[in-house]
Amino acid sequence: MICTEDDQLLGWKDFPKGLKVLLIDEDCNSASVMRSRLEKMDYIVYSFCNENEALSAISTKTEYFHVAIVEVTAGNSDGVLRFLESAKDLPTIMTSNIHSLSTMMKCIALGAVEFLQKPLLDDKLKNIWQHVVRKQAFNAGEKDVPESLKPIKESLVSMPQLQPVKSAADDKSSNETEPFTSIPENNNEHSSGCDKYPAPSTPQLKQGVRSVDDGDCQDHTIFSTEQGSGEHDGDTKSVETIFNNTVAEATVQTSPPEQQGQTILKEENGSSPHQKMEADIATSSPSNDCCDNSSSHSAEPIKASGRHSSGGTRSNKKKMKVDWSPELHKKFVQAVEQLGIDQAIPSRILELMKVEGLTRHNIASHLQKYRMHRRQILPKEVERRWPHPQPRDSVQRSYYPLHRPIMTVPPYHSNHIPAAGQLYPAWVPPASYPNGLQVWGSPYYPAWQPADSWHWKPHPGLHADTWGSPVMPPSFGSYPPYPQNGEVYQPNGMQNRYSMLEKSFDLHPAEEVIDKVVKEAITKPWLPLPLGLKPPSTDSVLHELSRQGISTVPPQINGSRCWS
DNA sequence: GTTGGAATAT
DNA sequence: GATATTCCAA
């Protein structure tokens, strides 16, 4: 998986055969045993009886060592520690019969890559090469990297696939046969059963890659928990936030200011783009000042949280959860108001909001909540303003413009869309807005209030005189106080013309309205004629139409589609 | 097939 | 409670 043909060790066939191991063991017998075991594994062993000899050999550079194995005894710990300090660049594995946590900690703290308790298993010895690869691959400078190992570093560093947890079987089946391809394999073993091969399991303070290992382990655990027993199928983009935080933290804490930690961190961030996005937005949102000009919205990613990235190549079933921050909600409200609440449908709201990543479904869901809030709040306001007895049902449904009486929208001006905040001043001055009308989100959105103060007529029939020319057909008086959906609200083509009509009635004389309607009918003869005019008005329209040469009208005009 | 809206699930 | 998802009608 992680290694391709190109990643092969150049000039190092059968790696790790020939790896040079510096062995320090004061016990000659133990040393010879260890040597023979290592040599069976095709390592080249240089054994020393004490640290000084070894350090001398290192300093004189008579030989290059890839890895050191140092026996720690009760009596030589000082020397061992000294060795560790002096040979920081050499991956050093401690072995010992003693079980002293403090000694282990000291060694590890001083840079030992691993502390192995004796007796040593073959597997552990066999895998010591991993420390070499790791050390070389993630060493800060290139200077210490043998030419033969540089390909390893490059391949490892550039390999986000290091993170995912895949089954060992996968790796084995798909990997090349090059020895170092077993790095992830071993890590997999490590992560899928963290103690199966404990060899490279010691926390490695000097090398960021350790956090990858740990991350693997944690990742696996957390991820499994998150996803259930099932199907994370190696999708690294699905890693939960907690995983990223954990890894990032571990990386930062354990990595020296070298590059490897940062590299890993980048990879982690990259594996969860939405998280970065969230962070970015979270910091930028307070400065959002787009409320002043609702028409100048610029596409803006949403702050979203969730376990999956929306941009993942894999089909993540779960969408990210939209966080309707005040700013986002403000945009929403502005869009709704800009559209006019009767035109505020998810798709249009979505267009106006211009928020990247937001979907129609998100809008619809939010709109649903929005309306519910309105539904809860408006009755109170309505009750306050219109203390007339009225059917409860009507009040409850009045939140929705389709059910409200006509004339709740500003005068129609051909293409003018009133800006938010300018919607209904003619009816109720802002000063008269009740303080108690702190509706959903209103603290954030002054422009919201007018929209909330729908001063619709609870009884159009009763108050028609108050609001200008009635627009109900003659039979309307016998109707329920509130037009049902599909009555006042004209579906399809009827809607525009009619809403235009209704929008015009409050301020425009009937004749002017008729003119508008006539013009509309002329320019868009395919649309049905509006209903809702009083007979004289309708007659006037029809007369004007015939005068203009339009003699036929859609059947709806005479039919009873809306009013019967 | 798309959309909006309500109901329901998470 | 907030949001996503599902269902259904248009």
Side-chain angles (χ1 to χ4, degrees), chain A residues 279-360:
Chain A
D280 290 343
I281 298 165
T283 55
S284 66
S285 55
S287 62
N288 187 333
D289 58 354
C290 55
C291 55
D292 296 328
N293 187 357
S294 58
S295 64
S296 66
H297 295 321
S298 57
E300 177 179 344
I302 60 173
K303 173 185 178 182
S305 59
R307 61 196 53 172
H308 296 306
S309 158
S310 62
T313 52
R314 289 185 184 267
S315 57
N316 294 322
K317 267 192 173 182
K318 286 219 170 188
K319 293 178 183 176
M320 57 186 170
K321 196 172 183 177
V322 173
D323 182 357
W324 284 93
S325 65
E327 287 74 20
L328 192 60
H329 177 70
K330 181 168 64 182
K331 278 193 164 187
F332 169 84
V333 172
Q334 285 175 341
V336 170
E337 291 183 345
Q338 183 171 337
L339 286 167
I341 197 161
D342 57 339
Q343 303 290 325
I345 58 176
S347 57
R348 295 186 184 182
I349 296 172
L350 185 60
E351 284 179 20
L352 281 178
M353 288 180 69
K354 292 177 181 172
V355 174
E356 180 182 323
L358 208 57
T359 68
R360 190 174 58 86

Coordinates of all heavy atoms in Angstrom, one line a residue, chain A residues 279-360:
Chain A
A279 N -13.2 25.5 12.1 CA -12.4 26.4 12.9 C -12.3 27.7 12.3 O -12.4 28.8 12.9 CB -11.0 25.7 13.1
D280 N -12.0 27.7 11.0 CA -11.9 29.0 10.3 C -13.2 29.8 10.4 O -13.1 31.0 10.7 CB -11.6 28.7 8.8 CG -10.3 28.1 8.6 OD1 -9.4 28.2 9.6 OD2 -10.0 27.5 7.6
I281 N -14.2 29.2 10.2 CA -15.5 29.9 10.3 C -15.8 30.4 11.7 O -16.2 31.5 11.9 CB -16.6 29.1 9.8 CG1 -16.3 28.7 8.3 CG2 -17.9 29.8 9.9 CD1 -17.2 27.6 7.8
A282 N -15.4 29.5 12.6 CA -15.7 29.9 14.0 C -15.0 31.2 14.4 O -15.5 32.0 15.1 CB -15.3 28.8 14.9
T283 N -13.8 31.3 13.8 CA -13.1 32.5 14.2 C -13.5 33.7 13.3 O -13.3 34.8 13.8 CB -11.6 32.3 14.0 OG1 -11.4 31.8 12.6 CG2 -11.1 31.2 14.9
S284 N -14.0 33.4 12.2 CA -14.3 34.5 11.3 C -15.7 35.0 11.5 O -16.0 36.1 11.1 CB -14.1 34.1 9.9 OG -15.0 33.1 9.5
S285 N -16.6 34.2 11.9 CA -18.0 34.5 12.0 C -18.3 35.8 12.8 O -19.2 36.5 12.4 CB -18.8 33.3 12.4 OG -18.3 32.9 13.7
P286 N -17.6 36.0 13.9 CA -18.0 37.1 14.7 C -17.8 38.4 13.9 O -18.4 39.4 14.2 CB -17.0 37.1 15.9 CG -16.6 35.7 16.0 CD -16.6 35.1 14.6
S287 N -17.0 38.4 12.9 CA -16.7 39.6 12.2 C -17.6 39.7 11.0 O -17.5 40.6 10.2 CB -15.3 39.7 11.7 OG -15.0 38.6 10.9
N288 N -18.5 38.8 10.9 CA -19.5 38.9 9.8 C -20.3 40.1 9.9 O -21.0 40.4 10.8 CB -20.3 37.6 9.9 CG -21.2 37.5 8.6 OD1 -21.5 38.5 8.0 ND2 -21.5 36.3 8.3
D289 N -20.2 40.9 8.9 CA -21.0 42.2 8.9 C -21.8 42.3 7.7 O -22.2 43.4 7.2 CB -20.0 43.3 8.9 CG -19.0 43.3 7.8 OD1 -19.1 42.3 7.0 OD2 -18.3 44.3 7.6
C290 N -22.2 41.2 7.1 CA -22.9 41.2 5.9 C -24.4 41.6 6.1 O -25.1 41.6 5.2 CB -22.8 39.9 5.1 SG -23.3 38.6 6.1
C291 N -24.7 41.8 7.4 CA -26.1 42.1 7.6 C -26.6 43.4 7.1 O -27.7 43.6 6.9 CB -26.4 42.0 9.1 SG -25.3 43.2 10.0
D292 N -25.6 44.2 6.8 CA -26.0 45.5 6.3 C -26.5 45.5 4.9 O -27.3 46.3 4.5 CB -24.8 46.5 6.4 CG -24.4 46.7 7.9 OD1 -25.3 46.6 8.7 OD2 -23.2 46.8 8.1
N293 N -26.0 44.6 4.2 CA -26.4 44.6 2.8 C -26.7 43.2 2.4 O -25.8 42.4 2.1 CB -25.3 45.2 1.9 CG -25.7 45.3 0.5 OD1 -26.8 45.0 0.1 ND2 -24.9 45.9 -0.3
S294 N -27.9 42.9 2.3 CA -28.3 41.5 2.1 C -28.1 41.2 0.7 O -28.1 40.0 0.3 CB -29.8 41.3 2.4 OG -30.5 42.2 1.7
S295 N -27.9 42.1 -0.2 CA -27.7 41.8 -1.6 C -26.2 41.6 -1.9 O -25.8 41.2 -3.0 CB -28.2 42.9 -2.5 OG -27.4 44.1 -2.2
S296 N -25.4 41.8 -0.9 CA -23.9 41.6 -1.2 C -23.4 40.4 -0.6 O -22.2 40.3 -0.2 CB -23.2 42.9 -0.7 OG -23.3 42.9 0.8
H297 N -24.2 39.5 -0.3 CA -23.7 38.2 0.2 C -22.7 37.6 -0.7 O -22.9 37.5 -1.9 CB -24.9 37.2 0.4 CG -25.9 37.7 1.4 ND1 -25.5 38.4 2.6 CD2 -27.2 37.6 1.4 CE1 -26.6 38.7 3.3 NE2 -27.6 38.2 2.6
S298 N -21.7 37.2 -0.1 CA -20.7 36.4 -0.9 C -20.8 35.0 -0.4 O -21.1 34.7 0.8 CB -19.3 37.0 -0.7 OG -19.0 37.0 0.7
A299 N -20.5 34.1 -1.3 CA -20.5 32.7 -0.9 C -19.6 32.5 0.3 O -18.5 33.0 0.3 CB -20.0 31.9 -2.1
E300 N -20.1 31.8 1.2 CA -19.4 31.6 2.4 C -19.7 30.3 3.0 O -20.8 29.8 3.0 CB -19.9 32.7 3.4 CG -19.3 32.6 4.7 CD -19.9 33.7 5.6 OE1 -20.5 34.6 5.0 OE2 -19.8 33.6 6.8
P301 N -18.6 29.6 3.3 CA -18.8 28.2 3.8 C -19.6 28.3 5.1 O -19.4 29.2 5.9 CB -17.4 27.7 3.9 CG -16.6 28.9 4.1 CD -17.2 30.0 3.3
I302 N -20.3 27.3 5.3 CA -21.0 27.2 6.6 C -20.2 26.6 7.6 O -19.2 25.9 7.4 CB -22.3 26.4 6.4 CG1 -21.9 24.9 6.0 CG2 -23.2 27.0 5.4 CD1 -23.1 24.0 6.0
K303 N -20.5 27.0 8.8 CA -19.9 26.3 9.9 C -20.6 25.0 10.2 O -21.8 25.1 10.4 CB -19.9 27.2 11.2 CG -19.4 26.5 12.4 CD -19.6 27.3 13.6 CE -19.2 26.6 14.9 NZ -19.4 27.4 16.1
A304 N -19.9 24.0 10.0 CA -20.7 22.7 10.2 C -19.9 21.8 11.0 O -18.6 21.9 11.1 CB -20.9 22.1 8.8
S305 N -20.6 21.0 11.7 CA -19.9 20.0 12.5 C -20.5 18.6 12.1 O -21.5 18.5 11.6 CB -20.1 20.2 14.0 OG -21.5 20.2 14.2
G306 N -19.7 17.6 12.4 CA -20.2 16.3 12.0 C -19.0 15.4 11.8 O -17.9 15.8 11.8
R307 N -19.4 14.2 11.7 CA -18.3 13.2 11.7 C -17.8 13.0 10.3 O -16.8 12.3 10.1 CB -18.8 11.9 12.2 CG -19.9 11.3 11.5 CD -20.6 10.3 12.3 NE -21.0 10.8 13.6 CZ -21.7 10.2 14.5 NH1 -22.1 9.0 14.3 NH2 -22.0 10.7 15.7
H308 N -18.4 13.6 9.3 CA -17.9 13.3 8.0 C -17.7 14.6 7.2 O -18.3 15.6 7.4 CB -19.0 12.5 7.2 CG -19.2 11.1 7.8 ND1 -18.2 10.3 8.1 CD2 -20.3 10.6 8.3 CE1 -18.7 9.2 8.6 NE2 -20.0 9.3 8.7
S309 N -16.8 14.4 6.4 CA -16.5 15.5 5.5 C -17.5 15.5 4.3 O -17.7 14.5 3.8 CB -15.1 15.4 5.0 OG -14.9 16.1 3.8
S310 N -17.9 16.6 4.0 CA -18.9 16.7 2.9 C -18.2 16.5 1.6 O -18.7 16.1 0.6 CB -19.6 18.0 2.9 OG -18.7 19.0 2.7
G311 N -16.9 16.8 1.6 CA -16.2 16.8 0.3 C -15.5 15.4 0.1 O -14.7 15.3 -0.8
G312 N -15.7 14.5 1.0 CA -15.1 13.3 0.9 C -15.4 12.6 -0.4 O -16.5 12.7 -1.0
T313 N -14.4 11.9 -0.9 CA -14.7 11.2 -2.1 C -15.6 10.0 -1.9 O -16.3 9.6 -2.8 CB -13.3 10.6 -2.7 OG1 -12.7 9.9 -1.7 CG2 -12.5 11.8 -3.2
R314 N -15.6 9.5 -0.8 CA -16.5 8.4 -0.5 C -17.9 9.0 -0.2 O -18.0 10.1 0.2 CB -16.0 7.6 0.7 CG -14.8 6.8 0.4 CD -14.4 6.0 1.6 NE -13.2 5.3 1.4 CZ -13.1 4.1 0.8 NH1 -14.2 3.5 0.6 NH2 -12.0 3.5 0.6
S315 N -18.8 8.2 -0.5 CA -20.2 8.6 -0.3 C -20.5 8.4 1.2 O -21.0 7.4 1.6 CB -21.1 7.7 -1.1 OG -20.9 6.4 -0.8
N316 N -20.3 9.5 1.9 CA -20.7 9.5 3.3 C -22.2 9.7 3.4 O -22.7 10.6 2.9 CB -20.0 10.6 4.0 CG -18.5 10.4 4.0 OD1 -18.1 9.2 4.2 ND2 -17.7 11.4 3.9
K317 N -22.8 8.7 4.0 CA -24.2 8.8 4.1 C -24.7 10.0 4.9 O -25.6 10.7 4.5 CB -24.7 7.5 4.7 CG -25.1 6.4 3.7 CD -25.9 5.3 4.4 CE -26.4 4.3 3.4 NZ -27.2 3.3 4.0
K318 N -24.0 10.2 6.0 CA -24.5 11.3 6.8 C -23.9 12.7 6.3 O -22.8 12.8 6.1 CB -24.0 11.1 8.2 CG -24.8 10.0 8.9 CD -25.0 10.4 10.4 CE -26.0 9.5 11.0 NZ -26.4 10.0 12.4
K319 N -24.8 13.6 6.2 CA -24.4 14.9 5.8 C -23.8 15.6 7.1 O -24.2 15.2 8.2 CB -25.6 15.7 5.3 CG -26.1 15.2 4.0 CD -27.3 16.0 3.6 CE -27.9 15.5 2.3 NZ -29.1 16.3 1.9
M320 N -23.1 16.5 6.8 CA -22.6 17.3 8.0 C -23.7 18.1 8.6 O -24.7 18.5 7.9 CB -21.5 18.2 7.6 CG -21.8 19.2 6.5 SD -20.4 20.1 6.0 CE -21.0 20.9 4.6
K321 N -23.6 18.3 9.8 CA -24.6 19.0 10.5 C -24.4 20.5 10.4 O -23.3 21.0 10.8 CB -24.6 18.5 12.0 CG -25.9 18.9 12.7 CD -25.8 18.2 14.1 CE -27.1 18.4 14.9 NZ -27.1 17.7 16.1
V322 N -25.4 21.1 10.0 CA -25.3 22.6 9.9 C -25.5 23.3 11.2 O -26.4 23.0 11.9 CB -26.3 23.1 8.8 CG1 -26.2 24.6 8.8 CG2 -26.0 22.5 7.5
D323 N -24.5 24.1 11.5 CA -24.7 24.9 12.7 C -25.3 26.2 12.3 O -24.6 27.0 11.7 CB -23.3 25.0 13.4 CG -23.4 25.8 14.7 OD1 -24.6 26.2 15.0 OD2 -22.4 26.0 15.3
W324 N -26.5 26.4 12.7 CA -27.1 27.6 12.4 C -26.7 28.7 13.3 O -27.4 29.1 14.3 CB -28.6 27.5 12.3 CG -29.1 26.8 11.1 CD1 -29.3 25.4 11.0 CD2 -29.4 27.3 9.9 NE1 -29.7 25.1 9.7 CE2 -29.7 26.3 9.0 CE3 -29.3 28.6 9.4 CZ2 -30.1 26.5 7.7 CZ3 -29.7 28.9 8.0 CH2 -30.0 27.8 7.2
S325 N -25.6 29.2 13.1 CA -25.0 30.3 13.9 C -25.9 31.5 13.7 O -26.6 31.6 12.8 CB -23.6 30.5 13.5 OG -23.6 31.0 12.2
P326 N -25.8 32.4 14.7 CA -26.5 33.7 14.5 C -26.3 34.3 13.2 O -27.2 34.8 12.5 CB -26.0 34.5 15.6 CG -25.6 33.6 16.7 CD -25.0 32.3 15.9
E327 N -25.1 34.3 12.7 CA -24.8 34.9 11.4 C -25.5 34.2 10.3 O -26.0 34.8 9.4 CB -23.2 34.9 11.2 CG -22.5 35.9 12.0 CD -22.4 35.4 13.5 OE1 -22.5 34.2 13.7 OE2 -22.1 36.2 14.4
L328 N -25.4 32.9 10.4 CA -26.0 32.1 9.3 C -27.5 32.3 9.4 O -28.2 32.5 8.3 CB -25.7 30.6 9.5 CG -26.0 29.7 8.3 CD1 -25.3 30.2 7.1 CD2 -25.7 28.3 8.6
H329 N -28.1 32.3 10.6 CA -29.5 32.5 10.7 C -29.9 33.9 10.2 O -30.9 34.1 9.6 CB -29.9 32.3 12.1 CG -31.4 32.6 12.4 ND1 -32.3 31.7 11.9 CD2 -32.0 33.6 13.0 CE1 -33.5 32.2 12.2 NE2 -33.3 33.4 12.9
K330 N -29.0 34.8 10.5 CA -29.3 36.2 10.0 C -29.4 36.2 8.5 O -30.3 36.8 7.9 CB -28.1 37.1 10.5 CG -28.3 38.5 10.1 CD -27.3 39.4 10.8 CE -25.9 39.1 10.4 NZ -24.9 39.9 11.2
K331 N -28.5 35.5 7.9 CA -28.6 35.4 6.4 C -29.9 34.8 6.0 O -30.5 35.2 5.0 CB -27.4 34.6 5.9 CG -26.1 35.4 5.8 CD -25.1 34.5 4.9 CE -24.0 35.4 4.5 NZ -23.1 34.6 3.5
F332 N -30.2 33.8 6.7 CA -31.4 33.1 6.4 C -32.6 34.1 6.5 O -33.4 34.2 5.6 CB -31.6 31.9 7.4 CG -32.9 31.3 7.3 CD1 -33.2 30.3 6.4 CD2 -33.9 31.6 8.2 CE1 -34.5 29.7 6.3 CE2 -35.2 31.0 8.2 CZ -35.4 30.1 7.2
V333 N -32.7 34.8 7.6 CA -33.8 35.7 7.8 C -33.8 36.8 6.7 O -34.8 37.2 6.2 CB -33.7 36.3 9.2 CG1 -34.7 37.4 9.4 CG2 -33.9 35.2 10.2
Q334 N -32.6 37.2 6.4 CA -32.5 38.3 5.4 C -33.0 37.8 4.1 O -33.7 38.5 3.4 CB -31.1 38.8 5.3 CG -30.7 39.7 6.4 CD -29.2 40.0 6.3 OE1 -28.5 39.4 5.7 NE2 -28.9 41.1 7.0
A335 N -32.7 36.6 3.8 CA -33.1 36.0 2.5 C -34.6 35.8 2.5 O -35.3 36.1 1.6 CB -32.4 34.6 2.3
V336 N -35.1 35.4 3.7 CA -36.6 35.2 3.7 C -37.3 36.6 3.6 O -38.3 36.7 2.8 CB -37.0 34.6 5.1 CG1 -38.4 34.6 5.3 CG2 -36.5 33.1 5.2
E337 N -36.7 37.5 4.2 CA -37.4 38.8 4.1 C -37.2 39.5 2.8 O -38.1 40.1 2.3 CB -36.8 39.8 5.2 CG -37.2 39.3 6.6 CD -36.7 40.3 7.6 OE1 -35.8 41.1 7.3 OE2 -37.1 40.2 8.8
Q338 N -36.1 39.2 2.2 CA -35.9 39.8 0.9 C -36.8 39.1 -0.1 O -37.3 39.8 -1.0 CB -34.4 39.5 0.5 CG -34.1 40.1 -0.9 CD -32.6 40.0 -1.1 OE1 -31.8 39.9 -0.2 NE2 -32.2 40.1 -2.4
L339 N -37.0 37.9 0.0 CA -37.9 37.2 -0.9 C -39.4 37.6 -0.6 O -40.2 37.5 -1.5 CB -37.7 35.7 -0.7 CG -36.5 35.1 -1.3 CD1 -36.3 33.7 -0.9 CD2 -36.6 35.1 -2.9
G340 N -39.6 38.0 0.6 CA -41.0 38.1 1.0 C -41.3 36.7 1.5 O -41.0 35.7 0.9
I341 N -41.9 36.7 2.6 CA -42.0 35.4 3.3 C -42.9 34.5 2.5 O -42.8 33.3 2.6 CB -42.6 35.6 4.7 CG1 -42.3 34.3 5.5 CG2 -44.1 36.0 4.7 CD1 -42.4 34.5 7.0
D342 N -43.7 35.1 1.6 CA -44.6 34.2 0.8 C -43.8 33.6 -0.3 O -44.2 32.6 -0.9 CB -45.8 34.9 0.3 CG -45.4 36.1 -0.5 OD1 -44.3 36.6 -0.3 OD2 -46.3 36.6 -1.3
Q343 N -42.7 34.2 -0.6 CA -41.9 33.6 -1.7 C -40.7 32.9 -1.1 O -39.9 32.4 -1.9 CB -41.4 34.7 -2.6 CG -42.5 35.6 -3.2 CD -43.2 34.8 -4.3 OE1 -42.7 34.0 -5.0 NE2 -44.5 35.1 -4.3
A344 N -40.6 32.8 0.1 CA -39.4 32.2 0.7 C -39.5 30.7 0.7 O -40.1 30.1 1.7 CB -39.3 32.8 2.1
I345 N -39.0 30.2 -0.3 CA -39.0 28.7 -0.3 C -37.5 28.3 -0.3 O -36.6 29.1 -0.6 CB -39.7 28.2 -1.6 CG1 -39.0 28.8 -2.8 CG2 -41.2 28.5 -1.5 CD1 -39.6 28.2 -4.1
P346 N -37.3 27.1 0.1 CA -35.9 26.7 0.4 C -35.0 27.0 -0.8 O -33.9 27.5 -0.6 CB -36.1 25.2 0.6 CG -37.4 25.1 1.2 CD -38.3 26.1 0.5
S347 N -35.4 26.7 -2.0 CA -34.4 26.9 -3.1 C -34.1 28.3 -3.3 O -32.9 28.7 -3.5 CB -35.0 26.3 -4.4 OG -36.3 26.9 -4.6
R348 N -35.0 29.2 -3.1 CA -34.7 30.6 -3.3 C -33.9 31.1 -2.1 O -33.0 32.0 -2.3 CB -36.0 31.4 -3.5 CG -36.8 31.0 -4.7 CD -38.0 32.0 -4.9 NE -38.8 31.6 -6.0 CZ -39.8 32.2 -6.4 NH1 -40.3 33.3 -5.8 NH2 -40.5 31.8 -7.5
I349 N -34.3 30.7 -1.0 CA -33.5 31.1 0.2 C -32.1 30.7 0.0 O -31.1 31.4 0.3 CB -34.1 30.5 1.5 CG1 -35.5 31.1 1.7 CG2 -33.2 30.9 2.6 CD1 -36.3 30.4 2.8
L350 N -32.0 29.5 -0.5 CA -30.6 29.0 -0.7 C -29.8 29.9 -1.7 O -28.7 30.2 -1.4 CB -30.7 27.5 -1.2 CG -29.4 26.8 -1.4 CD1 -28.7 26.7 -0.1 CD2 -29.7 25.4 -2.0
E351 N -30.5 30.3 -2.7 CA -29.8 31.1 -3.7 C -29.4 32.4 -3.0 O -28.3 32.9 -3.3 CB -30.8 31.4 -4.8 CG -30.9 30.3 -5.8 CD -31.9 30.6 -6.9 OE1 -32.1 31.9 -7.1 OE2 -32.4 29.7 -7.6
L352 N -30.3 33.0 -2.3 CA -30.0 34.3 -1.7 C -28.9 34.2 -0.7 O -28.1 35.1 -0.5 CB -31.2 34.9 -1.1 CG -32.2 35.5 -2.1 CD1 -33.4 36.1 -1.5 CD2 -31.5 36.6 -2.9
M353 N -28.9 33.2 0.1 CA -28.0 33.1 1.1 C -26.6 32.9 0.6 O -25.6 33.4 1.2 CB -28.3 31.9 2.1 CG -29.6 32.2 2.9 SD -30.0 30.8 4.0 CE -28.6 30.9 5.1
K354 N -26.5 32.2 -0.5 CA -25.2 32.0 -1.1 C -24.2 31.4 -0.1 O -23.0 31.9 0.1 CB -24.6 33.3 -1.7 CG -25.4 33.7 -2.9 CD -24.9 35.1 -3.3 CE -25.7 35.6 -4.5 NZ -25.3 37.0 -4.9
V355 N -24.6 30.5 0.6 CA -23.7 29.9 1.6 C -23.2 28.5 1.1 O -24.0 27.6 0.8 CB -24.4 29.7 3.0 CG1 -23.5 28.9 3.9 CG2 -24.8 31.0 3.6
E356 N -22.0 28.5 1.0 CA -21.4 27.3 0.4 C -21.6 26.1 1.3 O -21.4 26.1 2.5 CB -19.9 27.5 0.3 CG -19.1 26.3 -0.3 CD -17.6 26.7 -0.3 OE1 -17.3 27.8 -0.6 OE2 -16.8 25.7 0.0
G357 N -22.1 25.0 0.7 CA -22.2 23.8 1.4 C -23.6 23.6 2.0 O -24.0 22.5 2.4
L358 N -24.4 24.7 2.0 CA -25.7 24.6 2.5 C -26.6 24.0 1.5 O -26.5 24.2 0.3 CB -26.2 26.0 2.9 CG -27.3 26.1 4.0 CD1 -26.8 25.5 5.2 CD2 -27.6 27.5 4.2
T359 N -27.5 23.2 1.9 CA -28.4 22.5 0.9 C -29.8 22.9 1.1 O -30.2 23.5 2.1 CB -28.3 21.0 1.1 OG1 -28.9 20.6 2.4 CG2 -26.9 20.5 1.1
R360 N -30.5 22.6 0.1 CA -32.0 22.9 0.2 C -32.6 22.2 1.4 O -33.5 22.8 2.0 CB -32.6 22.5 -1.1 CG -34.0 22.9 -1.3 CD -34.5 22.5 -2.7 NE -34.4 21.1 -2.9 CZ -35.3 20.2 -2.6 NH1 -36.4 20.6 -2.0 NH2 -35.1 18.9 -2.8

